[in-house]
Amino acid sequence: MIVKGGRGRRTRAALVGAGREAFEERGYDAVRVDDVCRRAGVSHGTFYTYFGSKEELFGEVAAAVVGEMFAASVVGPAVPDDPYARIEAANRLYLRAWAANSRLVRMLEHAATADERFGGLLLELREVFVRRGADGLRRLQEQGLADPALDPRLTAVMLGGMVEHFAHVWLDLGERADERTAVDHLTRLWARAIGLPLPAPGSAHSHAVVSGGGRTDGS
């Protein structure tokens, strides 16, 4: 049973934070419940007041990480209300969010190959990105700015997969490219795929500096 109140919330947050540190430093398989308890400064019994297992804790940590990535990819009002500019901003911010969290995301993918519970979690967490991308494409189609023949959901799955895979190859495996070039190519490919007109030569889109969050749906 979860203890309610401020103290209970603080203890739970401490366990999630300690778990995240442990997983990032040691990897999923090497972490033990005792490691997390020691980092959080709580007893073994206290851990089980909040989580039924290491697997449950990892699921909470993974959900928190994806939530952070999602929040970091929400384009703010500082970005012009232009579909191409917003897709570009979203791609840039997604790459930065991936750089900050790739180890845990890849850990979740690895765990998913051995445990179907994590496979379901991985699909559930990715769904938030797919749904947002599909909604954005539908809006562009309604405005006559994107190919109406495209299935919004399938397109979001495929193009989102392109960006995610590139992030992995670029940031985790060391593909050589500077950020500006990477973002420019991803955005051009995305725009061409949905039938969105490319900016005129010399456009400042690819030179924009974004400090807020971004969306991969072009809205």
Side-chain angles (χ1 to χ4, degrees):
M1 179 179 69
I2 301 302
V3 177
K4 297 181 179 180
R7 182 177 180 181
R9 288 192 294 272
R10 288 192 296 272
T11 302
R12 183 182 182 87
L15 285 166
V16 172
R20 180 170 181 166
E21 290 178 358
F23 291 129
E24 287 181 329
E25 290 179 13
R26 305 190 61 192
Y28 176 77
D29 292 333
V31 172
R32 300 291 179 264
V33 169
D34 286 341
D35 299 330
V36 177
C37 293
R38 184 168 53 255
R39 289 171 183 260
V42 304
S43 68
H44 198 268
T46 297
F47 176 91
Y48 287 104
T49 300
Y50 297 89
F51 299 100
S53 63
K54 180 184 80 169
E55 291 76 14
E56 185 178 331
L57 173 64
F58 181 67
E60 180 109 354
V61 169
V65 167
V66 173
E68 291 174 12
M69 293 180 68
F70 185 79
S73 63
V74 176
V75 172
V79 178
D81 187 20
D82 169 80
Y84 192 92
R86 296 181 76 82
I87 293 173
E88 182 180 58
N91 285 332
R92 180 181 294 106
L93 291 167
Y94 182 85
L95 292 181
R96 293 177 182 177
W98 182 277
N101 298 286
S102 64
R103 180 166 172 76
L104 279 168
V105 175
R106 286 300 170 190
M107 207 176 295
L108 175 59
E109 292 179 335
H110 176 71
T113 63
D115 190 325
E116 63 181 16
R117 290 174 296 177
F118 291 126
L121 176 61
L122 185 61
L123 290 175
E124 179 182 331
L125 296 179
R126 282 180 168 157
E127 176 63 21
V128 298
F129 291 98
V130 170
R131 186 166 55 247
R132 191 171 65 182
D135 289 345
L137 177 54
R138 288 190 189 94
R139 287 193 289 272
L140 293 177
Q141 290 172 323
E142 291 168 0
Q143 296 167 21
L145 298 174
D147 184 350
L150 294 174
D151 179 280
R153 179 176 176 82
L154 285 178
T155 302
V157 170
M158 293 173 182
L159 292 180
M162 172 190 72
V163 178
E164 181 182 340
H165 182 68
F166 173 75
H168 169 55
V169 173
W170 183 45
L171 295 166
D172 300 335
L173 302 183
E175 180 67 27
R176 296 177 64 84
D178 62 83
E179 183 186 87
R180 177 177 292 179
T181 301
V183 171
D184 176 66
H185 279 58
L186 285 172
T187 306
R188 288 176 179 276
L189 289 170
W190 188 294
R192 287 184 183 278
I194 66 173
L196 184 69
L198 298 181
S203 168
H205 280 315
S206 61
H207 303 292
V209 176
V210 179
S211 59
R215 293 175 66 170
T216 54
D217 58 18
S219 60

